[in-house]
Each structure stands twice: as C-alpha cells, then as structure tokens.
Amino acid sequence: MDSLSFSGICRYRVSPSTRLGFDQSNHINDGFSLGNKASFDRKQDRQGLAITRVASPLKRAIVPSLEKETVPDQNHVAWTSVRQERWEGELVVQGEIPLWLKGTYLRNGPGIWHIEDYNFRHLFDGYATLVKLHFENGRLIAGHRQIESEAYKAARKNKKICFREFSEVPKHENFMAYVGDLAKLFSGASLTDNANTGVVKLGDGRVVCLTETQKGSLVIDPNSLETLGRFEYSDSLGGLIHSAHPIVTDSEFLTLLPDLLNPGYLVVRMEPGTNERKVIGRVNCRGGPAPGWVHSFPVTEHYVIVPEMPLRYSAQNLLKAQPTPLYKFKWHPESKAFLHVMCKASGKIVTSVEVPLFVTFHFINAYEEEDEDGRVTAIIADCCEHNADAAILDQLRLQNLRSFNGQDMLPDARVGRFTIPLDGSPFGKLESALDPDEHGRGMDMCSINPANLGKKYRYAYACGAQRPCHFPNTLTKLNFAKKKAKNWHDEGAVPSEPFFVARPGATEEDDGVVISLISEKNGSGYALLLDGSTFEEIARAKLPYGLPYGLHGCWVPKK
Ligand SMILES: CC(=O)/C=C/C=C(C)/C=C/C1=C(C)CCCC1(C)C
Ligand SMILES: CC(/C=C/C=O)=C\C=C\C=O
Ligand SMILES: [Fe+2]
C-alpha cells in the first residue's frame, strides 16, 4: 500500500508555559499553514515547536512533530488547542477497514481555545475545526483544517476576540464601545459565526457547518475542507438563533427558530436545492419568560416534538459582559417543562404535555407507539438527560476539563425516555430507558442508524462513563430492547461521538461500523472503527498528532 508511516514522527513537544498549566497558555502547533514556511518559522522560534515535513503520496503535507512525553492529565490533548490551517495525510491502518466503507466522515468541533495569550473559558467557545476521515478501498486519508469564519479571521487579524461567542464577549475599550456593541447585539452583528458545533450534508449535496447562531451556517468543501462561504437563508423569517441540530435527510431540513420576543418557536422546513425555510407552524411557550434552550429536538415519522426545557434563554444574561454560571441561560424550575407535538403536514399542535423537569443537549430519537390495531397511542422521545441538573454546562468549562485529578467529577446522566400520551392527558412521563449504571451514569453525544430516524429503534451509540472521571470517557452501545449497554474504554482516552455508518444493503439495524476519534492521555490520538453489531474493534489508525476533542459529525458517501 502506498502509505505514509507516521510512527516515529509523532514527537510532541509542549512549550514550557504549557507544562506549567493552562493559566498561561495552552496552545501548540500554533499558526502554520501548508506552504507558509515564513509564518511557521516565526512560531517555531516563539514556541519551540519542532515540525517535520513529510512527502505524502497525495500531496505535500506538513506534519507537526510533537515530541512524545508523558502529558499530565491537566494537559490532555483533548482540551489543547491544535491549529492546523491545513493538513492531509494517509494513515497506517491496524486491522481491516471494510471494503464497503466508501466515503468521508466529517467531524466538527472547537479546536482552538485561545487567541494570542488569552485563553477561552468554555469548551463551546473554541474556534471551529474540521477533521475528515476518508475511507476508500480499505485505506484511510485524514485531514484537518480550520473553518474560516468571520469570527476566526477577525480574531487572528486583530489579535483579540471580536464577536460574542458562547461565553466569551469582546473586551470593550470604553463605555461607548460597550453601548455600541449592545446595539449590534440586537441586529445580530456582534454575534459569532464560529460554526463549531456540527456539520450536515443537505439533500442537494451541500455540506454546511453549524452552530446556534443563524449566521454561523457556513458551507464547506467536504474534500478540501475549505470554507466556501456563508449559507444565506433567502427567506425573511429573521431571528438570530436556531437549533444547532437540524434534522437533515435527503428530502428535507427541519429546524426550530426560538422567538425570544414573543416566547415560542417557529418550526421550519427547507427543501433540498433551496435556501428558503418555510414555516410549518408555531408553538407558543407555556411557561417562563423566554423559550427553553433548543440545542436539539426529535421527530417521529409524522410529528415534530418541540421541547420547552426549564433551562431558558435569558436576555438579561445575554447582555452581560461577564459569563454567569449558566452563561446565556437561566434555570426556571417554576416555569415547568413541556413537550409540544406538532403535525409535520398541517403544523397543528396535536398535544402539549407537562413533563418532569429535565436538562438535555441531545435528543437521541423519537417514534410513534402503536396499539394492536395500529393506532398511534403515544410518542416516545429519548434524550441524553442530565438528571434535571444544569451543572453539566459549567462542568464543560475548560478549567474543569483541564483539572482532572482522579476524583469523580462528572454529574450523573441517563437515557431519559419521555412518553407523551396522545389521548389528551395533560402530563407526560420521564423515566430512564435503562439502568444508568449500565453506562457508568455518563450519557451524551449519541447517534443512531439514520434509517431508523423517527421510527421504533433498538440501538443507539453514545459516550458513557467509566468512573472515576470528569468527562464521558467510554463508547457505549445501548440496546433498548434488552436494557443493556456494551462499553468500550481505553484508559485515559477521551473518545468523541461514536458515529454509526450502515453497511449498504444491511437489513439489521446495527449492521455497520461506528467511527470515533480518540484523544489519548499521552498526547497522541487515533481513528477507531468498531463493529456496529459486536461493538468490537475492527480497525484503528494512529494520527500523526493528537486531536482536540470534537463534537458532531456527518457521513458523505462516495457516489
Ligand atoms: C458548541 C455548542 O454546542 C454550542 C454553541 C453555542 C453557541 C455558540 C451559542 C451562542 C449564543 C450566542 C452567541 C448569543 C445568543 C445565545 C446563544 C445562542 C446561546
Ligand atoms: C460534550 C457534551 C456533554 C457531555 C456531557 O456529559 C455536550 C456537547 C454539546 C454540544 O454539542
Ligand atoms: Fe450538540
């Protein structure tokens, strides 16, 4: 095989300031780009990084030479900035990649958490970083590139944060500048377009990186990872924010637009080949001063479920220059929690039930429950539920992530299963779909076989916990029928979202592979392939350097 061996060049030197801890600086491999030797050499002088250039069979790649040393836990590469303006190379595969696996796994996430000497606070603040794993003929080509958002470009140019990020706010020179910035907040001009949360392939083939601000919808090239430009919504629906996780299939793009002025949500749909979202319907909030945070939402075959979580957007916190413990949100237990069910075809709300308080980032799936006569009696909706405790948001502060000392710090989570009756009852149920001890009481970053979207399903893949830990550190396969989980764990490693790709022609729900990128405790990392059915490792491929933690991905099949 015409491949590059990266073994022996994965030498990772951490700058002295990094070794002292993250208060000073936590960035490595900062600021070089393919072919930009001058800028790279300057940085090399400043940070003492060693770089090796390697001739790739595909193109000339610059591989950072990261001197291997034992990295203490607080310097875990998962929470360390790695800047790669552009890198691509073939990886040596241990094990066997199935020949049917043809296409590109793209993963988005925050990968740079500093600008100059200023370190960001929260995991979600980092500048968007794309990683690709291209599988073909049993071979694996990886790539890594920064997303060129306006926020990222402006920060690099001006050497400071210029837009409002998840928790970071630009520092103002004087009071007038602060007032000016507030005015820009209402027009959206001061909000970030740092598209660091997910990446989706639209039905028409366009690939879009997303975050929670609408302006942070950026089109990228899935091969070169180049940022092609902003995805401009051509409708006049307005609003500034949306769900970070639209439901995307070959035939539609569904999302929620929270309305902060008149608390509620617009449920909208966009057809492939267009940039125009059309309103399906509107849900008015039943509680609270503002809509609940909608990072994600589930659908069934016929319905859209709109969650109204007691963790609500807060205009007051939005205006603050310093982050609050819940950032731009507020916990309103008195406002209660609701799930609204909207018919996709008519936009009518078929039921709206009060449910126990809950906290979730990610819904896993939902489906319609039928009686023996085929009548839909209830809707089941599953989510990664943080035991109605918003503390998880603050646990994702970088200082917490970088300060693991062996103590168990990860708040408990479970698969929360909502049952929404369709007989007009005013209340819905929330229970654990399986004993949370099955997955170490950690639960987030889930995926399913996309063929089962909105349908009764048996399996989900997610990150769980092997305790003590401070972050989900296992990959887990959940079997809802047996109420069992099977866990994969590599000591000290931080795995990213397990992403399921079905084998073409498969008839079993779990016939396929699960892809994850692993950041290891020694500063290195690898791409991992597990069998979707046995959940055993089938292949791994070491990366030439460890990757920072990433969030969500998508699959772009090769035509
Ligand atoms: C990375 C991730 O999962 C979430 C990112 C969320 C972001 C960037 C949210 C940004 C926001 C603003 C900049 C102002 C308005 C509120 C809010 C949508 C939280
Ligand atoms: C990584 C994460 C939660 C981990 C909790 O255990 C949430 C990410 C949310 C954004 O996509
Ligand atoms: Fe997410």
Side-chain angles (χ1 to χ4, degrees), residues 199-365:
V199 49
V200 294
K201 184 184 84 67
L202 305 184
D204 54 34
R206 288 177 292 177
V207 178
V208 184
C209 292
L210 293 162
T211 184
E212 304 211 350
T213 58
Q214 292 188 32
K215 67 195 278 202
S217 307
L218 305 181
V219 185
I220 60 117
D221 178 322
N223 301 312
S224 66
L225 306 185
E226 184 186 352
T227 306
L228 300 177
R230 190 164 286 176
F231 185 97
E232 301 284 358
Y233 298 99
S234 62
D235 51 68
S236 50
L237 293 177
L240 303 175
I241 60 182
H242 57 185
S243 170
H245 291 278
I247 302 281
V248 185
T249 62
D250 284 348
S251 57
E252 63 186 6
F253 171 105
L254 294 168
T255 198
L256 302 183
L257 310 184
D259 179 347
L260 303 190
L261 296 175
N262 182 16
Y265 313 83
L266 282 185
V267 181
V268 301
R269 178 175 187 272
M270 188 170 71
E271 297 249 339
T274 78
N275 288 33
E276 186 186 2
R277 298 161 302 181
K278 292 191 175 147
V279 177
I280 296 180
R282 186 191 150 93
V283 171
N284 291 321
C285 287
R286 284 179 58 187
W293 185 14
V294 277
H295 184 75
S296 71
F297 64 98
V299 296
T300 68
E301 287 181 278
H302 303 100
Y303 303 105
V304 177
I305 291 103
V306 179
E308 188 179 336
M309 203 161 60
L311 182 63
R312 294 173 185 271
Y313 298 95
S314 161
Q316 212 186 3
N317 288 351
L318 211 58
L319 298 176
K320 291 201 171 127
Q322 288 302 320
T324 72
L326 291 179
Y327 304 92
K328 313 282 198 280
F329 309 99
K330 259 193 187 164
W331 179 241
H332 285 281
E334 77 296 343
S335 75
K336 302 191 175 158
F338 304 93
L339 293 179
H340 312 274
V341 179
M342 181 181 285
C343 171
K344 251 204 264 181
S346 68
K348 293 219 166 75
I349 295 163
V350 298
T351 192
S352 164
V353 293
E354 186 186 330
V355 290
L357 302 185
F358 67 100
V359 168
T360 189
F361 297 107
H362 299 121
F363 278 89
I364 303 172
N365 197 14

Side-chain angles (χ1 to χ4, degrees), residues 4 37 53 146 168 178 191 203 220 230 237 280 287 318 325-326 339 373 379 383 409 423 436 461 479 505 512:
L4 272 183
K37 188 170 186 306
R53 286 159 200 267
Q146 294 313 128
E168 296 291 344
Y178 170 69
L191 295 185
I220 60 117
R230 190 164 286 176
L237 293 177
I280 296 180
L318 211 58
L326 291 179
L339 293 179
D373 303 322
I379 284 171
C383 67
M409 298 295 288
D423 61 359
Y461 302 91
N479 180 330

Side-chain angles (χ1 to χ4, degrees), residues 412-424:
D412 287 0
R414 58 177 177 160
V415 177
R417 172 158 285 188
F418 290 103
T419 304
I420 310 169
L422 290 180
D423 61 359

